[in-house]
Amino acid sequence: MASGTQLPVDDGHALPPEGERRRDFLHVASASVAAVGAGAVVWPLVNQMNPSADVLALASIDLDLSAIQPGQAIKTSWRGKPVFARHLTPAEIEAANKVDVASLRDPQSLADRTKPGNAQWLITLGVCTHLGCVPLGAGQGESRGDFGGYFCPCHGSHYDTAGRIRKGPAPLNLNVPDYVFKTPTSVTIG
Amino acid sequence: MVRLGALAVGLFFCIAVLWGAVQPRDAVPVDPVKEAHQYPEKITWSHNGPGNLGILGTFDRGQLQRGFQVYKEVCSACHGISLVAFRDLSALGYNEAEIKAIAAEYEVPSIDENGEPSTRKATAADKFPPRYANEVAARAAQNGANPPDLSLMTKARPDGTNYVRSLLLGYRDEVPASLKASAPEGLWYNPWFHSVFIAMPPPIAADGQVTYTDGSPQTKDQYAEDVAAFLTWTAEPKLEARKETGVAAVLFLLVMTGFGFLSYRRVWADIKGKKAKA
Amino acid sequence: MSFPWARQYQPTTEFGKFMDSRLPLPRFVYGALGAGYPTPKNLNYFYNFGVLAGVALVIQIITGVVLGMHYAADTRVAFDSVEHIMRDVNGGWMLRYMHAVGASFFFGVVYVHIFRGLYYGSYKPPREVLWMLGLVIFLLMMATAFMGYVLVWGQMSFWGAAVITGLFSALPIVGEAIQTWLLGGFSPDNATLNRFFSLHYLLPFVIFGVIILHVWALHIPGSNNPTGVDVKGPQDTVPFHPYYTAKDFFGLGVYLTIFAAVVFFIPNSLGEPDNYIPANPLSTPAHIVPEWYFWPFYAILRAFTVDFFFIPAKLMGVLAMFAAILLLFFLPWLDTSPVRSNAYRPLNRALFWVFLVVCLVLGVAGGKPAEEPWVRLSQIFTAYYFAHFLIITPLVSRFEKTLPLPSSISEAVLAKYGNGPSSSPGTGVGGAAPQPAE
């Protein structure tokens, strides 16, 4: 403890001699270790803002499709956003398949947007790709727009029965989330 | 002036407090509860690591699963662990399907399609539902007692892990003579409880009460130890991460301090060096 | 700053020159904590604790701000939101333990800092304002720590809030009204929790501001030193950087190592288990105690057990507790000895150690239930606490015979190592080192 007081006599000016290279390595090493430590401390401070375990636990949901009749759709919520699950009628599937994919603004076929063997189940985010409004068309009696799919009332974007943008300002088709079929009538989204 | 004022204030406080010090004290009768009360017996835990010091150590997964089984079959009749989520059970070594199955055994509050309150099966994301809706319901069902939630029990009592084990094994038939007169009706004598009379009937009553599948001894001792370990996990699920991080942090800081010391010596060398020569 | 031989900041780069003529922040730092601050060259390790206290505050502010991103100040969910941090937030358990343990370490460091000031007479002229600003920081820390402890909304939080605000109810006439005003109700509840959260978030920044004043006031006369003798010339000082930055970096390493060991291995050892029980207004814990750093003052509060003439015992306790801190503001005028350091005041030095022991015993007594022998011990030691500052110190400073002072810091250092000129100031110089054994 007393080393702090073990001081000498007459060297008051005590300015560190310039250009003494020998001592540099140690100080660089000390500063480097301190910098690494500071970096290690910063990570938890940043990471604490990432989604917490309880939020992540709700990042995937199970959705039961069995109650949806052909022609109907349901709205549910996933990661705080609306999801539309729609049971397409054969006529709607045919209408979607008839369209020339190359002519579309965001060229995708119905098969690209559904799971193999489950073309009747169209599951998309209910978020207009224009400015993020929730399109109409999933609820009973709501307008489905000029193409029988969804219609966004904010700026008049029309989506077809495959949820593809056909008219209006939206640049892209309605987003299809990642999902897998657990049983023929239930899916896990996310 | 300041010092005269200080003298006056000082005398004022000193006389006032010493006046209290010279008052005769009432003889304090020996408190039979204090006499009978026992401190938890310390035993060795795997999560306390080498030397039972608590610095290192990991949970014994098999023990946690057995403890969870004891909790489910015995404690959960009256006590909740409502801060624990089913998804947390993955830390005990259960896989996703097993957790889903465990969660499905529980009902949690929900709203049906008519907007009426109802219940649904719990999912992995849910927490264990509380055993009682509120304290009043608990007391009504439990003869006036309120079984506490156990999520944090081992942190909410001094030496909590040992306390839980000692308490569970601490029921005694022989009430000391000094306490016989004051023994409350309907309570159980347990010198490890703070007031030595506890409303909880002995939960672990006999060897073989819970059937283990991993071949561990099915004794009261084993049950108490397992459930105490499980409740240590519920109270501090991040215990292992904490200790691992701690070892890394302390080792790193020791290195940093070592470099700091050498730097310090080097900086002061031109001043202290002369002393060495002297 | 005020020494003529202090090195002047000289910007070397174009950018440095550009800034220096517009916002001379580098010049300011250079003069405050850099090579431009001449510091006595005989400071011992006890002089590290000022910087450590600053670091402890920064740790509290950083961890506190991120905890505030997850905490919810509502009585229905406050306790659960803390457990949410402990269980679900990424690394939340570490941040929360750092904040809780950090509060204890902050107080520990500040107590060492205060006792160092007492031992070496750092409160004496010309550093009275520096000392008083330090006491203001200490008071703000106590308020901040108390309110932060309430935020957890455990049993000890709730009953601590009830007891501490209840102190004000001891005041005659206006007491009840003040307590109700503090709580925003008739018992600690949502209004209390919300205002405590708001103030707990605010006060650390106020502390930070007062620390800037504290450092400013330090730089006018410059640092005191273990001899208490004024700096006479350049031979007595070294530039703060690199000499004391290097020493402080080493001290910081030691501090952080101990801090990390407690945070990661025994994080709950400094807290009360009762605070892991959610607050219950209908059930009081068997033994209400504040955190350890309040124990000495809690002992003083409880030491007054009988009414004193027309003053009720409760009011006496409250007055004494506040007086115990406030009297420190008058210390520079109570201790009038011209000699600063206890190294040259044998009698006062002995009394310093007595006082330290008294504070430690009061601390232990404050953490115990109000039973004998602790009550009587608290009473006797409380009497000494007041007598020490208000009666003994003024008398000693007037009548004691001090040892001859060295004529300068350099000479004291020489004498200590016996290799200097023969004008040795005497054996007492050895006391410059703070070991009690001497």
Side-chain angles (χ1 to χ4, degrees):
Chain A
M1 277 306 267
S3 63
T5 56
Q6 290 172 6
L7 296 175
V9 209
D10 56 341
D11 180 337
H13 314 286
L15 302 183
E18 302 292 337
E20 194 182 328
R21 308 303 304 171
R22 263 188 325 135
R23 57 165 69 149
D24 284 5
F25 164 73
L26 251 186
H27 303 327
V28 169
S30 292
S32 312
V33 176
V36 170
V41 169
V42 166
W43 170 241
L45 296 174
V46 172
N47 190 35
Q48 54 88 21
M49 283 171 69
N50 275 319
S52 57
D54 55 327
V55 173
L56 291 176
L58 293 171
S60 70
I61 56 164
D62 290 336
L63 187 59
D64 182 15
L65 305 172
S66 57
I68 311 172
Q69 298 304 315
Q72 285 188 339
I74 60 163
K75 247 193 244 188
T76 185
S77 175
W78 172 70
R79 295 188 182 176
K81 287 179 241 168
V83 166
F84 296 156
R86 183 155 169 172
H87 194 168
L88 301 176
T89 62
E92 287 171 331
I93 293 173
E94 199 189 337
N97 284 334
K98 260 200 313 211
V99 179
D100 175 15
V101 171
S103 70
L104 295 173
R105 185 179 301 168
D106 182 8
Q108 272 184 318
S109 68
L110 180 65
D112 292 338
R113 300 172 54 75
T114 54
K115 299 291 173 191
N118 286 296
Q120 74 275 31
W121 295 112
L122 177 69
I123 298 174
T124 61
L125 289 189
V127 179
C128 180
T129 57
H130 179 219
L131 290 173
C133 295
V134 179
L136 301 174
Q140 286 282 341
E142 287 179 1
S143 164
R144 290 186 162 185
D146 294 353
F147 299 88
Y150 299 105
F151 168 64
C152 181
C154 291
H155 304 92
S157 291
H158 298 258
Y159 297 89
D160 67 11
T161 53
R164 297 175 293 200
I165 181 65
R166 299 294 290 276
K167 192 174 137 190
L172 296 171
N173 301 333
L174 289 181
N175 212 331
V176 178
D178 287 333
Y179 65 93
V180 286
F181 275 89
K182 288 271 159 168
T183 70
T185 56
S186 80
V187 291
T188 299
I189 304 177
Chain B
M1 245 344 262
V2 173
R3 287 193 282 177
L4 274 183
L7 182 68
V9 173
L11 287 174
F12 169 72
F13 281 118
C14 285
I15 292 169
V17 74
L18 290 175
W19 179 239
V22 298
Q23 300 296 316
R25 299 296 196 259
D26 296 333
V28 182
V30 179
D31 184 352
V33 171
K34 254 190 184 166
E35 294 273 282
H37 182 253
Q38 301 276 335
Y39 288 96
E41 184 197 343
K42 293 195 186 298
I43 67 161
T44 311
W45 299 93
S46 91
H47 60 259
N48 276 348
N52 212 26
L53 292 174
I55 291 178
L56 299 172
T58 52
F59 288 117
D60 172 347
R61 291 310 190 267
Q63 182 172 49
L64 293 188
Q65 293 203 2
R66 292 196 302 273
F68 177 49
Q69 189 188 354
V70 174
Y71 165 76
K72 247 192 341 182
E73 294 182 20
V74 182
C75 318
S76 71
C78 305
H79 296 275
I81 44 171
S82 58
L83 292 172
V84 180
F86 293 103
R87 62 188 151 82
D88 295 336
L89 294 174
S90 63
L92 269 54
Y94 292 107
N95 64 33
E96 211 176 310
E98 288 169 321
I99 290 172
K100 216 168 173 181
I102 293 168
E105 295 168 23
Y106 292 81
E107 294 278 318
V108 294
S110 178
I111 294 172
D112 67 11
E113 56 268 33
N114 300 321
E116 298 295 326
S118 78
T119 61
R120 61 170 171 80
K121 283 192 182 352
T123 68
D126 288 309
K127 299 198 164 174
F128 279 82
R131 178 63 186 85
Y132 296 102
N134 52 58
E135 189 180 331
V136 179
R139 289 193 189 278
Q142 294 285 350
N143 243 337
N146 179 25
D149 190 274
L150 297 182
S151 314
L152 283 168
M153 187 50 74
T154 59
K155 273 159 111 178
R157 299 287 182 277
D159 198 5
T161 307
N162 286 318
Y163 167 80
V164 168
R165 176 182 167 275
S166 292
L167 184 86
L168 290 175
L169 298 173
Y171 288 85
R172 298 287 182 271
D173 295 330
E174 284 298 306
V175 182
S178 56
L179 285 165
K180 277 231 166 76
S182 60
E185 197 61 28
L187 298 191
W188 304 79
Y189 178 65
N190 187 330
W192 279 268
F193 192 60
H194 65 88
S195 64
V196 307
F197 289 103
I198 186 167
M200 172 169 72
I204 294 174
D207 293 350
Q209 183 180 353
V210 177
T211 309
Y212 284 155
T213 53
D214 66 351
S216 298
Q218 306 185 98
T219 59
K220 296 203 301 186
D221 263 40
Q222 191 65 39
Y223 296 149
E225 196 175 322
D226 291 347
V227 82
F230 171 70
L231 291 177
T232 305
W233 172 80
T234 63
E236 179 117 33
K238 306 292 184 191
L239 178 140
E240 291 174 347
R242 167 163 74 75
K243 294 181 175 182
E244 280 167 22
T245 316
V247 171
V250 167
L251 288 179
F252 175 85
L253 286 167
L254 283 175
V255 171
M256 189 183 94
T257 308
F259 274 107
F261 181 68
L262 294 176
S263 269
Y264 159 56
R265 290 284 292 267
R266 188 69 65 86
V267 167
W268 283 77
D270 60 335
I271 291 186
K272 291 193 175 177
K274 293 190 179 156
K275 186 218 133 201
K277 275 180 245 152
Chain C
M1 220 179 251
S2 53
F3 297 118
W5 60 90
R7 292 165 107 187
Q8 289 302 310
Y9 174 70
Q10 264 148 8
T12 49
T13 61
E14 280 304 313
F15 180 72
K17 288 173 189 153
F18 175 88
M19 283 307 287
D20 196 45
S21 53
R22 288 163 179 81
L23 181 69
L25 195 61
R27 178 179 293 275
F28 176 76
V29 173
Y30 184 89
L33 295 165
Y37 177 42
T39 317
K41 62 185 185 182
N42 60 336
L43 301 188
N44 57 36
Y45 280 109
F46 285 93
Y47 284 79
N48 280 42
F49 283 80
V51 165
L52 291 182
V55 172
L57 175 70
V58 170
I59 291 175
Q60 290 307 94
I61 288 180
I62 291 175
T63 54
V65 165
V66 296
L67 288 171
M69 296 181 188
H70 304 279
Y71 173 76
D74 182 310
T75 53
R76 287 168 301 180
V77 295
F79 187 88
D80 286 355
S81 76
V82 173
E83 281 303 316
H84 165 69
I85 292 169
M86 294 294 287
R87 289 158 193 271
D88 288 337
V89 173
N90 300 309
W93 56 269
M94 175 166 40
L95 299 167
R96 195 263 175 147
Y97 277 149
M98 283 172 77
H99 198 68
V101 174
S104 277
F105 270 67
F106 193 6
F107 273 94
V109 165
V110 163
Y111 279 131
V112 175
H113 189 60
I114 292 174
F115 275 95
R116 191 270 292 151
L118 285 174
Y119 187 88
Y120 294 118
S122 301
Y123 48 86
K124 286 168 175 283
R127 298 187 181 83
E128 304 96 317
V129 173
L130 173 62
W131 168 256
M132 290 160 81
L133 286 168
L135 291 173
V136 170
I137 293 170
F138 181 51
L139 287 172
L140 287 169
M141 277 174 65
M142 294 174 105
T144 310
F146 160 65
M147 288 189 285
Y149 194 66
V150 173
L151 299 186
V152 182
W153 210 243
Q155 271 291 68
M156 216 49 104
S157 300
F158 180 91
W159 292 99
V163 168
I164 299 297
T165 56
L167 297 180
F168 292 90
S169 72
L171 299 174
I173 306 166
V174 292
E176 296 275 348
I178 289 178
Q179 186 187 7
T180 308
W181 174 76
L182 284 171
L183 292 172
F186 307 99
S187 62
D189 209 333
N190 219 23
T192 321
L193 186 62
N194 272 292
R195 67 191 55 186
F196 279 16
F197 180 52
S198 174
L199 292 172
H200 181 72
Y201 211 126
L202 167 70
L203 287 186
F205 297 98
V206 177
I207 292 176
F208 197 86
V210 182
I211 284 177
I212 290 177
L213 298 182
H214 189 66
V215 173
W216 186 5
L218 167 71
H219 282 70
I220 300 306
S223 300
N224 187 25
N225 68 85
T227 68
V229 175
D230 282 330
V231 167
K232 297 280 176 14
Q235 71 281 6
D236 290 340
T237 65
V238 291
F240 191 84
H241 176 76
Y243 289 93
Y244 285 106
T245 43
K247 190 173 182 180
D248 281 332
F249 179 70
F250 166 55
L252 179 65
V254 174
Y255 171 76
L256 289 179
T257 307
I258 300 169
F259 179 58
V262 176
V263 165
F264 291 109
F265 300 136
I266 45 171
N268 292 308
S269 57
L270 297 166
E272 280 293 319
D274 274 307
N275 226 27
Y276 279 109
I277 304 170
N280 181 351
L282 301 178
S283 156
T284 311
H287 175 206
I288 301 179
V289 280
E291 293 279 89
W292 68 267
Y293 38 80
F294 291 135
W295 286 354
F297 301 103
Y298 197 53
I300 291 173
L301 171 75
R302 295 192 303 182
F304 291 81
T305 52
V306 291
D307 295 351
F308 190 61
F309 297 108
F310 55 91
I311 308 174
K314 182 179 170 188
L315 179 57
M316 276 306 301
V318 174
L319 290 176
M321 191 182 74
F322 285 113
I325 302 168
L326 296 180
L327 63 83
L328 293 171
F329 280 92
F330 296 92
L331 185 57
W333 295 276
L334 295 173
D335 178 3
T336 51
S337 169
V339 178
R340 288 200 193 96
S341 172
N342 270 331
Y344 307 99
R345 302 179 65 188
L347 179 56
N348 206 54
R349 181 165 72 224
L351 291 168
F352 168 87
W353 293 112
V354 170
F355 176 69
L356 180 63
V357 170
V358 164
C359 287
L360 293 176
V361 173
L362 282 175
V364 175
K368 301 280 182 189
E371 291 166 359
E372 294 302 343
W374 299 108
V375 177
R376 199 166 254 148
L377 263 180
S378 311
Q379 290 172 326
I380 294 165
F381 282 54
T382 297
Y384 183 82
Y385 183 101
F386 285 101
H388 179 86
F389 285 117
L390 298 172
I391 303 169
I392 298 171
T393 294
L395 289 177
V396 166
S397 61
R398 168 167 283 190
F399 297 112
E400 83 177 327
K401 197 162 156 38
T402 59
L403 300 174
L405 288 174
S407 62
S408 74
I409 292 171
S410 297
E411 190 194 293
V413 171
L414 271 181
K416 176 160 174 138
Y417 299 107
N419 56 355
S422 56
S423 65
S424 164
T427 51
V429 185
Q435 281 84 348
E438 299 187 23

